[in-house]
Amino acid sequence: RTLNLALSISATLAVLNAIPMYYLDGQHIFDSALMILLRRRRRGYYTTLIYKWVMRSGTFLLVSNVLLSFLSFLHRYAISSSTDGLES
């Protein structure tokens, strides 16, 4: 059971780290994959546009997901704490 939990956490962190987002390994993975797919050694104008768009989108989606999850948690906590006071 503990091994399954450790494996699950490790796999989740690996997937999270591979997301194309600034400051994570996904940034370098995506950059390398883009250069291999386009068969280029350096970035041109359109390659830079694609790179920036994907990186900004990945960063925005992950940050917004974390913020929405945090707000949902706070909302649930506020509702449960306010109803606990009424029952006592």
Side-chain angles (χ1 to χ4, degrees), residues 16-35:
L16 183 70
N17 195 32
I19 292 174
M21 180 179 160
Y22 290 111
Y23 306 114
L24 293 180
D25 288 338
Q27 175 181 6
H28 306 293
I29 294 169
F30 180 71
D31 188 33
S32 298
L34 190 63
M35 293 302 119

Side-chain angles (χ1 to χ4, degrees), residues 26-87:
Q27 175 181 6
H28 306 293
I29 294 169
F30 180 71
D31 188 33
S32 298
L34 190 63
M35 293 302 119
I36 289 170
L37 289 173
L38 297 177
R39 295 186 175 104
R40 296 183 182 209
R41 296 203 185 267
R42 29 177 253 235
R43 286 193 219 144
Y45 176 74
Y46 292 109
T47 309
T48 302
L49 279 178
I50 292 169
Y51 177 80
K52 286 182 179 180
W53 186 82
V54 169
M55 294 302 296
R56 288 176 183 164
S57 298
T59 303
F60 173 75
L61 289 174
L62 187 64
V63 168
S64 62
N65 189 7
V66 169
L67 286 175
L68 287 174
S69 298
F70 182 69
L71 289 174
S72 173
F73 172 76
L74 285 178
H75 182 67
R76 265 188 271 139
Y77 179 73
I79 288 175
S80 67
S81 65
S82 67
T83 58
D84 287 343
L86 295 175
E87 293 173 3

